[in-house]
Amino acid sequence: MYFERLRLEQFKPYADVEVSLGPGVTVIHGLNGSGKSSLLEACFLSLYGSSALDDTLDAVMTTGADATLIELQLRHRDAPITIHRELRRRSSGVATTTATLEGEHHEIEGTRDIRAHVRELLRMDVDAFRNCAYVRQGEINKLIEATPSERQRMIDTLLQLGRLEMYRDRARSAALAVED
């Protein structure tokens, strides 16, 4: 899977931007506060909805804006997928008003259904995806300043080594059952 294009309107510092991407490794760099993490947050929000955010939907909308648009175009197993989300400010707060995923042979509507489809497609929940995609600001310092046991626990969590051990144990049990 890779992202081909990200389009944002009134998303955090971006009034109107379109970013083209391609297969391979993408490095996003810039000064602190220039919007690097915002680009990633837009991708996470597009894929997984508000559960992907550390903050509220209100925090992603540009100050003073009434609506926000996020459109992510990606390829998964060479099939094109476009996810379109619109957020609107209402008296009760910011809410998603449109959420659609268009694939090669199907269209899905609704935040929950899109999140479930993305989870199944990528075989990753939001935490696993975020952990493989980037390291959040401040996390490197926590890792550097941690004790050796804390550091090991953080790395195990990041790489989901506990899950790997669980699968290894299942494989050993299955192998013993086959022998018997």
Side-chain angles (χ1 to χ4, degrees):
M1 179 197 74
Y2 68 92
F3 298 155
E4 291 184 312
R5 183 179 66 83
L6 176 65
R7 182 170 165 249
L8 303 172
E9 289 180 14
Q10 304 304 323
F11 188 91
K12 288 195 164 193
Y14 298 104
D16 189 3
V17 69
E18 187 169 312
V19 180
S20 295
L21 304 159
V25 175
T26 299
V27 176
I28 301 171
H29 64 91
L31 298 173
N32 284 345
S34 63
K36 301 177 300 292
S37 295
S38 295
L39 291 173
L40 293 169
E41 272 186 291
C43 294
F44 299 153
L45 175 61
S46 180
L47 292 168
Y48 291 98
S50 61
S51 65
L53 300 176
D54 290 333
D55 219 334
T56 65
L57 285 176
D58 189 57
V60 301
M61 189 173 278
T62 301
T63 304
D66 292 325
T68 294
L69 168 83
I70 306 149
E71 191 172 272
L72 179 64
Q73 191 174 344
L74 58 109
R75 286 206 170 265
H76 180 69
R77 296 188 176 152
D78 208 36
I81 297 172
T82 301
I83 303 173
H84 180 90
R85 291 187 187 264
E86 290 182 40
L87 313 174
R88 295 224 178 262
R89 188 176 308 282
R90 298 187 172 161
S91 59
S92 59
V94 175
T96 301
T97 55
T98 303
T100 59
L101 181 148
E102 295 175 20
E104 202 168 32
H105 303 291
H106 60 284
E107 184 172 314
I108 298 170
E109 291 190 24
T111 57
R112 286 188 182 105
D113 291 340
I114 291 171
R115 181 173 43 248
H117 182 73
V118 167
R119 199 179 303 143
E120 176 68 26
L121 196 67
L122 303 180
R123 302 200 191 303
M124 280 191 242
D125 65 10
V126 65
D127 291 328
F129 187 82
R130 272 199 318 192
N131 287 337
C132 77
Y134 85 119
V135 177
R136 291 183 207 112
Q137 293 176 0
E139 294 296 314
I140 294 292
N141 285 343
K142 287 181 187 175
L143 189 63
I144 291 169
E145 295 168 359
T147 66
S149 61
E150 291 170 334
R151 190 175 303 122
Q152 183 65 51
R153 192 169 44 255
M154 291 170 76
I155 291 170
D156 288 352
T157 300
L158 178 68
L159 299 177
Q160 296 187 357
L161 295 180
R163 192 175 286 181
L164 178 63
E165 284 301 316
M166 179 183 70
Y167 291 136
R168 189 176 289 151
D169 290 344
R170 283 186 190 170
R172 281 188 198 119
S173 295
L176 290 175
V178 168
E179 279 181 23
D180 290 345

